Amino acid sequence: MTDVATTSPARTPMIAVPDWPYGPYTIDDLDALPDEGVRRELVNGWITVAPWPSTVHDHAAKVLERALDRAAEAADADAYVKGPLDIDTGPAIRVPDLVLVEGEAARAARAVKARAYDAMDVLLVVEIISPRSSSERTDRVDKVFEYARAGIPQYWMVELEPEPCVVVRVLGEDGRYHVSGSVVAGATLKVDEPFPFAFDPASLSG
């Protein structure tokens, strides 16, 4: 009878595996993932995920979207306002809370059934900050540089805590964003580009 070694093999440490793939992936891989109630972005071949917006977050986005829509119509501006919306910044597919796309370019993208709108056709992006969330640093830091590199003229960052506030960043000739205004509830945000727009952030908390 042949002797069998009784030494136990070395144990392989257990590794927690996420429910969605993690590694360098493509847009096709992103699209193949199941809808699990989260928003996913593709950044330099890596899939990132953030919880779906809260009711307060969603309300603020809808109020601002409607206000921008009304202003565009009043100014007879050819613009498409929607959020959340996929945009291609080059290194990433981002999903801002609100996007304003040049109208003709938006129609052209839909005509060819483009996967995402091109950042070069985007006039404005809006991100609503979710404090203490996994997306907070991305909105405050990473996207400030990425949206600027993509050439998006304006990036608005909306704060809902402790009170509604809109911080307007405008792309300068140096290729960087510069804060042109920070307007809190009770005051009026006024911009002339991409069309005249006046708005009191107080309505975001309604």
Side-chain angles (χ1 to χ4, degrees):
M1 183 173 182
T2 304
D3 291 335
V4 178
T6 57
T7 303
S8 298
R11 291 180 177 238
T12 301
M14 295 291 289
I15 299 174
V17 179
D19 293 332
W20 44 272
Y22 194 65
Y25 289 95
T26 66
I27 293 177
D28 289 338
D29 296 317
L30 178 67
D31 291 342
L33 293 173
D35 182 2
E36 298 174 325
V38 296
R39 281 195 293 179
R40 297 185 180 93
E41 296 179 326
L42 183 66
V43 185
N44 293 321
W46 298 90
I47 295 172
T48 64
V49 62
W52 202 252
S54 67
T55 54
V56 174
H57 182 292
D58 183 66
H59 170 78
K62 181 59 66 176
V63 168
L64 190 52
E65 178 182 337
R66 288 172 175 166
L68 284 166
D69 250 336
R70 289 194 297 268
E73 184 177 354
D76 197 25
D78 188 11
Y80 177 62
V81 185
K82 185 65 178 176
L85 196 67
D86 290 3
I87 63 171
D88 187 346
T89 65
I93 296 294
R94 292 292 191 182
V95 191
D97 291 308
L98 196 59
V99 183
L100 195 154
V101 186
E102 194 278 324
E104 184 176 351
R107 290 189 293 275
R110 293 194 295 272
V112 298
K113 296 181 173 59
R115 167 59 179 78
Y117 292 94
D118 197 311
M120 67 180 295
D121 300 319
V122 174
L123 305 174
L124 163 69
V125 287
V126 179
E127 296 286 6
I128 300 173
I129 304 300
S130 297
R132 302 167 297 280
S133 73
S134 58
S135 64
E136 182 177 7
R137 182 189 182 282
T138 302
D139 290 345
R140 293 190 188 280
V141 181
D142 299 347
K143 290 181 179 179
V144 173
F145 294 100
E146 185 178 322
Y147 290 160
R149 286 196 301 269
I152 299 174
Q154 293 190 54
Y155 176 23
W156 295 3
M157 194 175 295
V158 176
E159 308 274 1
L160 298 178
E161 299 179 18
E163 62 178 340
C165 173
V166 179
V167 178
V168 176
R169 287 178 167 81
V170 177
L171 191 63
E173 294 182 358
D174 58 358
R176 296 175 177 270
Y177 282 127
H178 300 274
V179 176
S180 66
S182 181
V183 182
V184 298
T188 302
L189 166 67
K190 292 182 179 180
V191 298
D192 295 321
E193 298 292 340
F195 44 75
F197 179 68
F199 181 77
D200 183 350
S203 61
L204 296 174
S205 63

